[in-house]
Structure formats: C-alpha cells, structure tokens
C-alpha cells in the first residue's frame, strides 16, 4: 500500500468502493480484536423509554415515526469510548449516546456521541486512532500513565484539533449521562413523499441542561458514578428527557457552504453554523424504565448505523459509509450472527418478518419450513417502494480514486472560535491545565513540540500558555511540518505529501471531498440540484 490511510472512492466525493480490500480487511480485523467486550464503548449504561413526535417533520421526511403524535419505545445506551468495561465513568473521553427507536416500520438506530465532531475524517484512520487510546503493546499502560501514543497520533493528524479542543475543555467530562447533549455527527438524507431530499444533522438536546466535572472533581467520584446517577434518577421518578432536533440544508446549500466558507459537510471534523442552519425541534425522548437484567438488555443491545427506516438514507460521507459495514460486522462477531433476534434488538412491528437468512449460532427464530429462497410454494409479500434510490443517491460516474484528505486553514476556524469566543478566562485556564497535565506523561518532547505547533495555528495565545505550562518550546506553526496521516495543504511552496509520498494528487477535484458542483461526474437530472450534487454530504 502506498499509504495505509488511503481509501478508494467513486470520485473524490462519491461513496466508498467495496473492492478496497485494504480498508475492508483493516476494518474486519479491527472488529474482531476484543472478545467479548466492545472494542470501543465498552463501558456503558442504559435504560428504556419512549419517543414522541411533537412537531411533524412530514414536509421533509416520509418516515411514519415523524408524524405528529406518533410514539415508539426506545432503548438508549450511554458509554465512554476508549476505556475498558471496568474503566472509570469520569474519564476524560467522548461519550457514546445511542438510541434504538422501535418504530412501526422497523428499527432506526441513531448512533451518536456527546460531541458534534470527531478526531478524523478518513475512515481507515479509525482503527489506528483507537489503538493509540488503548494500552501500550509493550508496557500495557493506558495514557493515564503514558500519554506518548495519544499525543503522537494527534500531533501527526492536525484535523483532530477541533475534537481535542472539546475533549480537553469543560465538555470533556460531563457530570453524568443526563447532563450532556447527543450528536449524530454524520449527515444523512431525509426524503419526503414527493421524492425530494435534504441533508440532515440530528441533535439530542438535554432538557436537564449540561453540567461538567473539572479534572480535580472527577477524582472524587466513584467508578460507576454516571451509571449510578442515571439509575437512581429513573428509579426516583426524575425522568431524564432530551429533545430531538434537526439541522437541514439543500444540496445546493451544501455546495455553497464549501465554495463560500470552506465548510465541508462530508467532514466529521466540521460543524454546520447554527445561525445559517438553525435547529428545528421534532420530538422528545424520555427514559422511564431501568433494565431488569443489565446483560440481556444493555450489554447485548447492538446499535447499527445502517438500520434506517424509509425516509432516512445515508450520505456519501466516507466515515459514515465505513460504519455501515463495521458496526453490524462487529455485532456478528461479538454477540453472534443472529444478534438481531435477541429481544432487545428485535423490531416491534405488526407483521411477521420474512427474509432468506438461516441457521448460524443461536438461530432460535429460524422461520420454520418457509423456503429460504424466493419461492412460489409459500410466497411472501414485499413492501411497496417508498424511496426512489436512483433519485436520492444519483448515478455516480467517475474514476476510482485513492483518497487521503489534506489539512487546510479552515480546519482551525472552529477550534479558534472555541478558544476566542466560547471559552471564558477560567475555562481557558482549565483547558491549559488539562492539556499540560496529560502531556506530562508523554515521554517524547518532539511530539509535544509538534502538538504545540498545531495549537499555535488555533491561537498564538494558546500556544504560549502551553509552552509556559509544559516548559517545552513548540514549533512556529505547521507550514514546515509533514504528517504521517494527512497531506499538509498549508506547507510553504505548495502541498506537502503525507508520509513521504511522492504526490498528493488523488483525483481531478480539489475540494477535499466536499460537495462541489462539477466534481461529481455525470449524475441523473432527477431534481433541481441533481447535476453534480447527488450523494454529497455528511458532517
């Protein structure tokens, strides 16, 4: 492989190609690395409840669940990301926030985090990144005692800085699961009954407000602090609630957002400006029932981003597309090939389900004597097609390309806004203390110098404070640096290729994977935005 982070896509902004054996092999092996706990999100808590649509979304989405007044049962699992099943609830770590909506049309799994962005935008980086959050293969220490690998990865992948600003800031340790928001992060498509589609971001806004713990406060809490808080609140009748809200934009707006503001809706490290794309409330989630058996109802619950009901469709975001494969593959390995038959994962629908999957471990619902092929002996009925996939996703025509993103100036705009406009004086002090305290366990000063250079692109003030706190002088910026995992688009004299590659050229387009008119190849003219916009999205 010329570069282990490259992925094959249909054009620079098209979907991933299944023929990319390197990516499939990487993800398949990664999904099977831990037995039996989850590779990520191993430590978790959960409960059951109900979702109700309070404000119809039928103008944008044909899903039955979004008609005003509709209700469905839900199962929610909160989690930390990097730690093991016995790790501390108050670790400085993103939090998982996954919801299984058991609608009349089947299950919709909203697999989210408590941060609106993530550390990466190239899907093949994910296993690499998670490895740096786990125990060192030699010392078997976590980054609580040796943070070298943690900062080494971040210092080699500057696009992670937006998430680092959030992680090391006040939102890095929420005060229990009840007091945090949830974000899908990826962009999906909503399709209405007319076949029209828009891009969408889902948000779950805590009705309890948000609260956080400082680094010092976190050391005073018990290992299962968040689990205990959630369980006791529900038992006492203090039922936690979240509002389900959406941001939406048209395909043309997605193109304009890149052309005018260099915000890439395919990019998991970027967010949509709320002033331009305001939140719209759709419904409410309420947790009202604790699990009777944690293992059966929470440990075995399996969320799959590919589980979508008609009216919700994936976009061409490469990280989302890789998750569509990786999550169910991990469940088949961890829980078993028939994980969807478990009561906590099975849909609640008013008809008998028929498919052509049979046997395998724990096949306790094997559909009797019904033929396991499309047969005239015992015919089944098929659902009427409600979504024209040709219209929603278009017909991509283009070269197969090996795509690796590059770091650009706009990658530092949102982190800079956090530092200059969101963090107050005390929050800035806590951030510098959190980062420098964690860096104290990094054995390689060169890594710290590189990371301070990345922070200098965010703010010279931030870099100076970190230099004083760590006693390490960082580089002046990233213009003279090269990175293992990303082309440096801010290098002097042109792009600096990643990892010593001879060329940064991956396709004819220069949009860093963003939706740009004319870079999509030939697309069916199925709606007003079709020529060059179909299939272009995701956070």
């Amino acid at each position: 492989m010329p570069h282990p982070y490259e992925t094959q896509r249909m054009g620079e902004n098209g979907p991933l190609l299944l023929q990319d054996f390197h990516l499939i092999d990487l993800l398949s092996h990664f999904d099977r690395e831990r037995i039996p706990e989850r590779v990520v999100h191993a430590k978790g808590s959960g409960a059951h409840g109900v979702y109700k649509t309070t404000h119809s979304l039928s103008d944008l989405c044909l899903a039955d669940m979004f008609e005003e007044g509709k209700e469905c049962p839900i199962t929610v699992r909160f989690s930390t990301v990097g730690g093991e099943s016995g790790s501390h609830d108050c670790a400085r770590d993103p939090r998982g926030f996954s919801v299984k909506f058991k609608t009349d049309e089947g299950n919709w799994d909203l697999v989210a985090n408590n941060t609106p962005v993530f550390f990466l935008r190239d899907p093949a980086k994910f296993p690499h990144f998670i490895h740096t959050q786990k125990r060192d293969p030699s010392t078997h220490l976590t980054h609580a005692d040796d943070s070298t690998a943690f900062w080494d990865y971040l210092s080699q992948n500057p696009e992670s800085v937006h998430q680092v600003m959030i992680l090391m800031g006040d939102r890095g340790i929420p005060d229990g699961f009840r007091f945090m928001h949830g974000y899908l992060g990826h962009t999906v498509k909503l399709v209405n009954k007319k076949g029209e589609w828009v891009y969408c971001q889902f948000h779950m806004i805590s009705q309890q407000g948000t609260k956080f713990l400082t680094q010092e406060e976190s050391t005073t809490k018990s290992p299962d602090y968040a689990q205990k808080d959630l369980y006791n609140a529900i038992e006492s009748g203090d039922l936690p609630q979240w509002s389900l809200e959406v941001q939406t934009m048209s395909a043309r707006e997605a193109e304009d957002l890149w052309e005018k503001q260099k915000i890439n809706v395919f990019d998991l490290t970027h967010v949509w400006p709320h002033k331009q794309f305001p939140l719209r409330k759709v419904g409410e989630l309420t947790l009202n029932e604790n699990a009777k058996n944690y293992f059966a109802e929470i440990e075995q619950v399996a969320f799959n981003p590919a589980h979508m009901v008609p009216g919700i469709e994936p976009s061409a975001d490469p990280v989302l597309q890789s998750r569509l494969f990786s999550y169910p593959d991990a469940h088949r390995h961890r829980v078993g090939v028939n994980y969807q038959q478990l009561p906590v994962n099975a849909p609640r629908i008013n008809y008998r389900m028929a498919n052509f999957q049979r046997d395998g471990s724990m096949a306790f619902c094997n559909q009797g004597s019904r033929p396991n092929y499309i047969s005239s002996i015992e015919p089944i009925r098929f659902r009427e097609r409600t979504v024209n996939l040709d219209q929603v996703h278009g017909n991509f025509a283009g070269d197969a390309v090996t795509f690796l993103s590059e770091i650009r100036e706009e990658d530092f705009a949102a982190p800079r806004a956090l530092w200059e406009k969101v963090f107050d004086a005390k929050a800035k002090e806590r951030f510098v203390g959190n980062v420098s305290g964690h860096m104290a366990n990094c054995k390689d000063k060169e890594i710290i110098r590189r990371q301070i250079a990345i922070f200098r692109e965010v703010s010279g003030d931030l870099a100076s404070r970190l230099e004083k706190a760590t006693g390490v002088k960082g580089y002046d910026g990233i213009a003279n640096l090269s990175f293992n995992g990303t082309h440096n688009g801010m290098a002097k004299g042109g792009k600096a290729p990643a990892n010593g590659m001879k060329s940064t050229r991956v396709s004819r387009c220069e949009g860093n994977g963003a939706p740009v008119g004319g870079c999509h190849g030939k697309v069916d003219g199925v709606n007003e935005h079709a020529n060059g916009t179909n299939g272009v999205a995701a956070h």
Side-chain angles (χ1 to χ4, degrees):
M1 288 296 297
H3 199 286
Y5 289 163
E6 284 182 349
T7 53
Q8 295 182 30
R9 297 168 66 174
M10 177 56 70
E12 188 176 19
N13 40 37
L16 297 177
L17 298 183
L18 189 61
Q19 71 184 31
D20 188 354
F21 172 78
H22 175 69
L23 176 64
I24 299 300
D25 190 59
L26 182 74
L27 292 172
S28 298
H29 188 281
F30 177 72
D31 293 340
R32 292 163 171 80
E33 286 186 2
R34 296 291 187 275
I35 299 173
E37 69 178 33
R38 291 168 171 86
V39 181
V40 288
H41 300 275
K43 176 70 180 296
S45 308
H48 308 297
V50 63
Y51 165 78
K52 180 177 181 179
T53 293
T54 57
H55 299 76
S56 174
L57 194 61
S58 59
D59 59 318
L60 297 180
C61 185
L62 58 83
D64 173 75
M65 65 174 291
F66 290 137
E67 295 178 4
E68 187 169 338
K70 289 287 291 190
E71 295 186 8
C72 71
I74 60 175
T75 296
V76 176
R77 185 177 185 268
F78 306 104
S79 57
T80 52
V81 176
E84 299 143 352
S85 62
S87 58
H88 205 291
D89 273 359
C90 298
R92 184 170 295 279
D93 199 19
R95 301 297 191 270
F97 190 143
S98 294
V99 185
K100 187 178 292 291
F101 297 83
K102 297 198 171 184
T103 82
D104 290 343
E105 297 180 294
N107 289 353
W108 174 41
D109 289 353
L110 179 57
V111 189
N113 282 336
N114 75 321
T115 58
V117 296
F118 199 59
F119 296 92
L120 51 88
R121 57 196 176 207
D122 297 274
K125 289 187 178 183
F126 186 76
H128 293 261
F129 167 70
I130 294 300
H131 286 162
T132 70
Q133 311 302 295
K134 298 295 187 178
R135 293 182 179 274
D136 183 270
S138 175
T139 65
H140 203 55
L141 297 174
T142 70
H143 58 80
D145 290 296
D146 184 356
S147 61
T148 306
F150 179 91
W151 290 108
D152 182 38
Y153 177 88
L154 300 178
S155 70
Q156 291 287 349
N157 295 273
E159 71 272 25
S160 64
V161 70
H162 192 180
Q163 175 74 314
V164 173
M165 296 291 294
I166 297 173
L167 177 65
M168 291 295 173
D170 289 342
R171 280 196 280 178
I173 311 178
D175 188 5
F177 297 127
R178 294 185 295 144
F179 300 101
M180 67 183 196
H181 302 319
Y183 307 89
L184 175 59
H186 299 292
T187 299
V188 294
K189 296 180 180 180
L190 299 183
V191 189
N192 66 16
K193 293 180 180 178
K194 298 179 181 179
E196 303 163 336
W197 60 267
V198 295
Y199 294 129
C200 173
Q201 288 265 345
F202 283 99
H203 302 247
M204 292 170 286
I205 305 301
S206 170
Q207 300 305 287
Q208 295 73 240
T210 58
K211 296 196 299 183
F212 69 91
L213 299 173
T214 65
Q215 195 71 43
E216 293 73 23
E217 289 171 336
S218 70
T219 63
T220 68
K221 306 301 181 182
S222 67
D224 298 323
Y225 172 77
Q227 162 73 20
K228 180 175 64 175
D229 175 73
L230 178 68
Y231 188 93
N232 289 343
I234 295 174
E235 285 297 294
S236 66
D238 184 13
L239 305 180
Q241 289 187 314
W242 288 262
S243 63
L244 182 68
E245 306 187 15
V246 297
Q247 285 180 289
T248 60
M249 74 169 74
S250 68
R252 180 61 62 194
E253 287 174 319
E255 288 189 356
D256 290 343
L257 193 62
W258 171 256
E259 293 292 341
K260 297 177 181 179
Q261 297 173 249
K262 297 305 180 186
I263 295 176
N264 180 356
V265 295
F266 276 119
D267 191 338
L268 189 53
T269 69
H270 283 246
V271 295
W272 297 5
H274 282 215
K275 288 184 179 180
Q276 293 172 252
F277 307 99
L279 290 175
R280 168 179 170 178
K281 183 176 179 180
V282 180
E284 296 176 347
L285 300 86
T286 303
L287 296 182
N288 56 21
E289 180 186 354
N290 281 312
K292 299 296 187 295
N293 184 283
Y294 177 89
F295 180 83
E297 300 168 49
I298 306 301
E299 183 61 24
Q300 289 195 130
V301 68
F303 299 93
N304 179 358
H307 285 168
M308 300 179 182
V309 292
I312 305 175
E313 290 289 327
S315 73
D317 166 27
V319 181
L320 171 61
Q321 293 233 335
S322 71
R323 293 176 77 202
L324 301 180
F325 162 77
S326 187
Y327 273 68
D329 189 55
H331 300 326
R332 286 187 288 266
H333 160 65
R334 193 181 71 87
V335 182
V337 68
N338 289 304
Y339 73 95
Q340 295 176 97
Q341 296 185 16
L342 292 170
V344 70
N345 295 321
R348 300 186 185 185
I349 47 180
N350 60 3
Y351 52 87
R352 293 181 62 196
M353 221 137 40
N355 60 35
F356 306 101
Q357 297 177 352
R358 294 292 189 280
D359 307 338
S361 178
M362 304 294 179
F364 57 87
C365 181
N366 221 31
Q367 304 180 56
S369 61
R370 192 179 69 77
N372 58 356
Y373 63 98
I374 298 179
S375 170
S376 61
I377 299 173
E378 191 178 334
I380 61 174
R381 290 184 296 124
F382 296 94
R383 180 192 174 100
E384 288 294 321
R385 187 186 303 277
T386 52
V387 176
N388 183 340
L389 296 182
D390 295 341
Q391 178 174 335
V392 172
H393 296 296
N395 297 319
F396 287 93
D399 298 330
V401 300
T402 51
F403 182 83
L404 181 62
S405 70
E406 71 176 59
I407 190 71
R408 298 187 178 195
E409 291 184 2
E410 64 266 17
D411 291 314
F412 299 99
R416 188 177 301 119
L418 275 176
W419 177 258
E420 295 179 350
K421 300 179 181 180
V422 178
F423 291 2
D424 59 22
K426 290 294 185 182
K428 290 180 178 179
E429 289 180 13
R430 289 190 292 268
F431 181 87
V432 172
N434 294 336
V435 172
S436 59
H438 199 274
M439 282 180 169
N441 292 321
C442 178
K443 296 178 291 187
D444 190 338
K445 301 303 181 189
E446 172 65 13
I447 291 171
I448 298 177
R449 283 191 284 269
R450 293 177 62 91
Q451 187 63 45
I452 290 177
I454 294 172
F455 281 126
R456 199 181 306 281
E457 299 292 349
V458 175
S459 165
D461 171 53
L462 169 57
S464 297
R465 293 191 191 202
L466 285 171
E467 287 174 332
K468 182 178 180 180
T470 62
V472 177
K473 174 65 176 176
Y475 292 117
D476 292 338
I478 70 169
N480 294 318
L481 300 180
S482 61
F483 300 98
N484 282 346
T486 311
H487 300 310
N488 187 359
M490 296 171 63
K492 293 180 180 178
K495 300 176 190 174
N499 201 35
M501 298 173 72
K502 292 182 179 180
S503 173
T504 61
R505 183 174 177 83
V506 293
S507 76
R508 291 188 299 270
C509 299
E510 293 296 329
N512 217 29
V516 182
C519 276
H520 300 277
K522 184 179 180 181
V523 186
D524 270 352
V526 293
N527 63 26
E528 63 177 349
H529 299 311
N531 62 335
T533 58
N534 274 3
V536 294
H539 182 114

